[in-house]
Amino acid sequence: MVGLLMKTRARAILFPIVFYLVLGVASGYLVWGASKGDRGLTAKARYDADAAQMQTELTQLQSERESWRRRVDAMRSESVDRDLLDQEARAVLDRVGKDDVVIFTAAVKTH
């Protein structure tokens, strides 16, 4: 009878302890996942930083695109100055025209 009483008391004490222990571990796991998991608070901060960086890059690319659009619009046939275009092409390609006079000077060393 004493053995049965001890077994009942042990079960009455150990069952809630084990239950709360398992419940605590599961809750801890869920809290850890919510803060440091793939979709937790740390990941959200990382995604926000990536989004800010991409937004900055997008703004930069949009301004570069606008610059190129203005350059292309300036080259349309009705608005282009042929002499200015010829001069710019020669400067970019490092060429001279057949009627240009070239004066050679001493080379400057840049080391």
Side-chain angles (χ1 to χ4, degrees), residues 103-111:
I103 301 173
F104 294 100
T105 60
V108 177
K109 293 185 179 182
T110 56
H111 288 276

Side-chain angles (χ1 to χ4, degrees), residues 9 11-12 18 28 32 40 42 47-48 51 58 69 74 77 91-92 100 106:
R9 281 191 182 173
R11 194 177 293 165
V18 170
W32 179 86
T42 307
Y47 291 145
D48 289 344
L58 175 64
R69 188 191 61 75
S77 63
V92 169
D100 289 346

